[in-house]
């Protein structure tokens, strides 16, 4: 049976993005160079985890992860990833503003969901078939799934840095039990895997 999983990089103090996210700094000031350097500077050492991030039948993300806008859509904006985003499957973007589906190269199509996480998950499960659904982020989206008890597995990639402020994981989630499945340390990150107790 397919699972709802999340792969997300975080600082030791639980931030997945720094402050002042913008077009120039998508992950906030100073965050991208420290939270995700393991993916680029030590890709071979972390190859299994990098491959696993996009290994799902469908994806769900918040609007902030898709782009910097907050109001009505700028229809020229097609995401941060260029013509061939890394997902190569259906991606369901949570938003308050309707928009037609956006097909991209490589099999990625962004679908814009205005009905909240329950609608996004229903549509993603239907699209994924027997494969997993991945909640891609950001913090607010992951926190909503955790608070609602809709996440089966959390794969946390912890960078050895304290950001001190920004977008924090686990805010407003409440009490939850987790069972550690695995832990693996590499030179730039510690990969932690948990199932969510229900």
């Amino acid at each position: 049976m397919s699972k709802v999983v999340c792969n997300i990089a975080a600082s030791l103090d639980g931030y997945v993005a720094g402050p002042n996210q913008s077009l120039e700094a998508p992950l906030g000031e100073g965050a991208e160079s420290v939270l995700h350097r393991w993916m680029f500077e030590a890709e071979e050492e972390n190859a299994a985890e990098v491959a696993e991030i996009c290994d799902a039948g469908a994806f769900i993300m918040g609007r902030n992860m898709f782009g910097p806008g907050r109001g009505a859509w700028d229809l020229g904006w097609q995401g941060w990833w260029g013509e061939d985003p890394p997902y190569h499957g259906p991606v369901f973007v949570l938003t308050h503003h309707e928009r037609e589906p956006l097909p991209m190269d490589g099999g990625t199509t962004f679908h814009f969901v205005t009905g909240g996480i329950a609608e996004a998950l229903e549509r993603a499960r239907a699209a994924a078939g027997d494969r997993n659904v991945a909640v891609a982020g950001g913090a607010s989206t992951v926190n909503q799934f955790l608070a609602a008890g809709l996440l089966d597995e959390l794969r946390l990639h912890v960078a050895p840095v304290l950001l001190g402020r920004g977008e924090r994981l686990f805010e407003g989630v409440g009490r939850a039990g987790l069972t550690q499945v695995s832990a693996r340390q590499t030179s730039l990150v510690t990969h932690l895997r948990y199932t969510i107790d229900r």
Side-chain angles (χ1 to χ4, degrees):
M1 182 174 161
S2 67
K3 297 182 289 190
V4 182
V5 303
C6 172
N7 277 283
I8 195 159
S11 64
L12 277 172
D13 51 350
Y15 292 97
V16 300
N20 304 316
Q21 291 175 271
S22 66
L23 180 62
E24 296 75 25
L27 282 177
E29 295 169 357
E32 189 160 2
S33 61
V34 293
L35 289 182
H36 295 108
R37 61 186 287 231
W38 59 275
M39 297 175 73
F40 307 105
E41 295 178 27
E43 186 176 358
E44 218 171 280
E45 188 180 15
N46 299 286
E49 289 81 7
V50 170
E52 196 173 57
I53 289 171
C54 288
D55 183 22
F59 302 84
I60 298 170
M61 68 175 59
R63 175 152 182 191
N64 289 5
M65 187 166 174
F66 178 76
R70 300 296 179 264
W73 286 106
D74 168 3
L75 297 181
W77 181 261
Q78 299 187 343
W80 302 104
W81 306 276
E83 292 296 319
D84 185 8
Y87 303 102
H88 302 157
V91 180
F92 298 88
V93 180
L94 297 165
T95 178
H96 297 295
H97 299 272
E98 292 186 2
R99 182 174 175 176
E100 290 298 312
L102 177 63
M104 304 291 287
D105 292 346
T108 299
T109 298
F110 293 104
H111 302 271
F112 302 91
V113 180
T114 57
I117 63 171
E119 179 189 340
L121 182 56
E122 181 180 353
R123 291 178 62 183
R125 277 191 165 133
D130 293 334
R131 298 182 69 200
N132 289 341
V133 171
V135 178
S140 174
T141 299
V142 176
N143 290 343
Q144 288 179 64
F145 273 85
L146 283 167
L150 296 175
L151 202 63
D152 298 309
E153 190 172 295
L154 177 63
R155 302 164 184 173
L156 196 57
H157 311 285
V158 181
V161 63
L162 301 174
L163 289 181
R165 60 193 183 111
E167 296 292 322
R168 193 172 199 166
L169 204 56
F170 309 126
E171 290 287 331
V173 168
R175 187 178 176 95
L178 293 90
T179 299
Q180 186 167 310
V181 176
S182 65
R184 190 173 88 85
Q185 178 185 343
T186 66
S187 62
L188 298 176
V189 66
T190 300
H191 304 288
L192 303 170
R193 185 183 297 236
Y194 300 95
T195 56
I196 313 297
D197 300 340
R198 295 219 168 89

